[in-house]
Amino acid sequence: LDATQRAKIGSLQSKNNKDITFHVNDIHSGALNLFHESFYAAGFTPESFRLHVSNVDCYDLDVEVSDDTPIQDFVVVNPPWGVRLMTDDMVSSWKSLRYFVRDTLASSVSDNTEFWLLSGNKLAPQSYLRLKRNRMIPVQTGDINLRWIQYTIHNQNSSSSSKQQNAEQREQDEDDVDNNNTNNNNDDDIIDDQ
């Protein structure tokens, strides 16, 4: 089957499947407008499955899990690449993403959740997320070299000692990232991989 046929089959299988829940978020309302246009153009409706759309910084994103909502087991993100956003916006976005992945997501997902990140920036994923990747798939869009990077997110242990260790590690990571950004005299090395 070609990609178009596979997409049609997948679309038909996922329509009207209330076992599927999508949480869609973007801090930029324009990106959400594009999502809505694509969603309806693909033939989906809000009745197709459970859909939660929000327009907040991912630092503030709360992925609620309840008995009637399946736990997320597949997460895809597309953070800034440092091409259109200013350096400060990109750094802030990556810090928010780090918090979302390591705190919010890791406490609300099933163990061994697939986490996929589309990055047009070589250094940001390792500098900010500090996760061990499973694999990387290079892709190109226009003149920008991108990478789909796959990680596995494990559910955090809920014990108080584990939470304390995680909090201490987060503080150390933030200090390390801030020191790295302060000591780096060439911002282009952080945000541009071309």
Side-chain angles (χ1 to χ4, degrees), residues 7 26 45 62 91-93 107 109-110 114 125 136 162 169 176 181 183 185 193:
D26 202 294
T45 66
D62 184 19
V91 170
S92 174
S93 294
S107 64
V109 297
S110 57
E114 279 188 58
M136 183 175 64
S162 176
Q169 182 62 47
D176 290 348
N181 288 340
N183 294 334
N185 293 328
D193 63 32

Side-chain angles (χ1 to χ4, degrees), residues 6 15-16 23 28 33 36 44 51 56 61-63 66 82-83 97 115 130 133 148 153 176 181 191:
R6 287 194 311 268
K15 285 184 181 177
N16 300 318
H23 293 271
H28 297 287
N33 291 337
H36 283 291
F44 293 112
L51 179 65
V56 299
L61 187 60
D62 184 19
V63 182
S66 63
V83 175
L97 180 60
F115 174 74
R130 297 184 181 209
R133 72 176 186 225
W148 276 111
I153 306 298
D176 290 348
N181 288 340
I191 64 168

Side-chain angles (χ1 to χ4, degrees), residues 159-178:
S159 72
S160 59
S161 62
S162 176
K163 286 182 180 178
Q164 178 63 29
Q165 289 173 345
N166 290 337
E168 290 171 3
Q169 182 62 47
R170 280 191 306 277
E171 288 178 21
Q172 180 62 45
D173 287 347
E174 288 176 9
D175 289 343
D176 290 348
V177 168
D178 290 340

Side-chain angles (χ1 to χ4, degrees), residues 136-152:
M136 183 175 64
I137 303 169
V139 294
Q140 185 158 353
T141 183
D143 61 348
I144 301 174
N145 294 317
L146 306 172
R147 292 152 215 80
W148 276 111
I149 306 172
Q150 180 192 29
Y151 303 94
T152 300

Side-chain angles (χ1 to χ4, degrees), residues 19 29 35 41 58 67 69 78 84 91 121 123 157 177 181:
D19 292 333
S29 58
F35 163 75
C58 64
D67 291 339
T69 302
N78 180 9
R84 290 184 308 229
V91 170
N121 185 302
L123 303 177
N157 185 338
V177 168
N181 288 340

Side-chain angles (χ1 to χ4, degrees), residues 37-123:
E37 290 173 16
S38 301
F39 179 80
Y40 290 109
F44 293 112
T45 66
E47 294 76 33
S48 299
F49 34 70
R50 289 180 277 205
L51 179 65
H52 304 280
V53 179
S54 56
N55 181 210
V56 299
D57 186 322
C58 64
Y59 186 92
D60 301 316
L61 187 60
D62 184 19
V63 182
E64 294 199 19
V65 178
S66 63
D67 291 339
D68 64 338
T69 302
I71 294 175
Q72 289 68 36
D73 58 4
F74 192 83
V75 178
V76 180
V77 298
N78 180 9
W81 309 334
V83 175
R84 290 184 308 229
L85 292 180
M86 302 296 283
T87 304
D88 291 343
D89 291 339
M90 194 196 98
V91 170
S92 174
S93 294
W94 277 90
K95 285 183 176 182
S96 293
L97 180 60
R98 177 182 63 217
Y99 176 82
F100 172 72
V101 171
R102 297 180 81 180
D103 289 86
T104 305
L105 194 60
S107 64
S108 65
V109 297
S110 57
D111 207 20
N112 298 321
T113 291
E114 279 188 58
F115 174 74
W116 285 87
L117 177 131
L118 180 62
S119 180
N121 185 302
K122 286 183 196 175
L123 303 177

